[in-house]
Amino acid sequence: MIVTLNTGAEQVDKLDLTEAEKAILQAKKNSPIVYRYDSPEALKFELKMRTRIVEAAKALNSGGAQFARFKDSRCNERYWSRTDEGGFQLRPGALPSDGINDIFANGSLYAFECATAIVIILYKAVLDMVGPTVFNRYFRDLLLWDWNYDKDLGLISTNNVNEAYPGDVLYFQNPDHDPRTPEWQGENVVKLADDLYFGHGIGITTSEQILSALNSRRRPGSTTPAFLTDQVVHPDFDYLRKL
């Protein structure tokens, strides 16, 4: 059964959604693009995953983990060993679920940059959605480093920021950043709501404030401002549902 958000209104109304999920659903209904789903359950899974991503981003923001460049990264050695490149390799015998949860429970022991933060948020959302048994079966031998991620996360990238919804990952680019501070070349963020984003190192804020922070780190004399790119990234919701 193919469900669209307009023609499948009766099935959609029976999904028992939270207010946050209803808000995402309404935003997608208002889009000029017609979104199709294999079943009402597939739609509900996506909406729940999106809210889990938002919740994980907020949890990371309040959890005490700090921003650091790769050379200054740190982790809890009980679960992770730090690589020469500044990544975190899951220790043999440690459960992936325990390693991810520890980042949120003992954030003060961790420091990493913004791309790693995004992958951690996505792992946490998947873990909370599918549970530790399934997560540990599929997401083994984790390496947290930059945009490195397990194939079962199945990230999908599109180029239409007008079709970004809460739970999507976006990128603010600073093309003329000061070369002495390469960490300010851009900011990976999770969209939390309309014009509200979380970026590790910047926190929860608006697009205007993110752009202002990036523009203040441009090379002297620069006339090229930072901007929000068209790139939109999210997990393969349907694939994760079938795990």
Side-chain angles (χ1 to χ4, degrees), residues 45 48-57 97 100-101 104 118-139 142 150 152-155 234-237 239-243:
F45 184 92
K48 288 196 173 298
M49 264 297 301
R50 287 185 175 277
T51 59
R52 293 291 194 282
I53 295 170
V54 169
E55 290 164 3
S97 58
I100 294 298
N101 280 330
F104 293 82
I118 294 296
V119 177
I120 290 170
I121 288 167
L122 296 177
Y123 281 148
K124 175 62 172 170
V126 174
L127 169 57
D128 289 346
M129 189 70 187
V130 305
T133 300
V134 173
F135 186 83
N136 292 335
R137 182 183 308 145
Y138 287 95
F139 294 88
L142 293 181
D150 187 285
D152 286 303
L153 199 55
L155 297 187
H234 60 74
D236 186 337
F237 299 117
Y239 175 79
L240 289 172
R241 182 174 66 92
K242 295 172 182 176
L243 293 186

